[in-house]
Amino acid sequence: MMKKFLIGLAVVVLVGFGALQIAESVIMGGDSYYVQITTDGEKTTSKDDNGNVFTQYHYELPGYDENGKSKTLDFNGFQERPLRKEAYLKLTWNEKKGVTSYEEVKEKDIPAKALTQLKGA
């Protein structure tokens, strides 16, 4: 009796964990695109619900996937200063949410076809 309960509990936990991973992948996952920061972005300042002022920089740049296919990517940098010019970023783009995340990468980590497009763009 106790063994069946523990097996059932383990199955429920595993199914729940799997569903959570799938949900996260659908919501936050997506395709990888590479961009190079070429502008300072468009600075905007806003207030949150508590009256705290925050600054962000809006970017609209061409990005390229690992096959060199392009997409115009629209995203915000949530820092007090613009993103570093000439920096390469790897962005995650989701069809429902747009750009969900970004991280700076080194030139050597960019797939060859994407890098060729970035250097020629």
Side-chain angles (χ1 to χ4, degrees):
M1 181 80 168
M2 185 68 156
K3 191 174 183 180
K4 284 185 180 179
F5 173 75
L6 289 175
I7 291 171
L9 182 61
V11 167
V12 167
V13 167
L14 288 174
V15 168
F17 182 75
L20 187 62
Q21 293 298 321
I22 291 169
E24 183 176 327
S25 172
V26 169
I27 293 169
M28 296 303 284
D31 301 322
S32 294
Y33 285 87
Y34 298 86
V35 301
Q36 185 173 29
I37 302 301
T38 55
T39 70
D40 284 335
E42 184 181 321
K43 181 179 179 177
T44 58
T45 306
S46 305
K47 285 187 181 182
D48 65 15
D49 293 340
N50 296 327
N52 299 319
V53 176
F54 66 94
T55 301
Q56 64 186 17
Y57 290 84
H58 179 80
Y59 298 87
E60 191 172 312
L61 297 167
Y64 302 92
D65 68 9
E66 64 184 16
N67 297 314
K69 184 178 172 196
S70 72
K71 177 179 285 302
T72 299
L73 300 163
D74 195 335
F75 64 101
N76 293 317
F78 295 96
Q79 299 177 344
E80 291 297 314
R81 57 179 171 65
L83 295 170
R84 187 172 61 81
K85 270 192 182 171
E86 307 306 317
Y88 291 106
L89 300 181
K90 177 182 178 181
L91 284 70
T92 302
W93 180 84
N94 179 295
E95 193 171 324
K96 293 188 181 353
K97 298 254 186 190
V99 174
T100 58
S101 66
Y102 64 85
E103 64 178 323
E104 188 168 344
V105 293
K106 294 185 182 333
E107 184 176 315
K108 67 179 178 62
D109 297 326
I110 299 172
K113 290 181 181 176
L115 185 59
T116 298
Q117 294 286 14
L118 287 169
K119 293 229 178 235

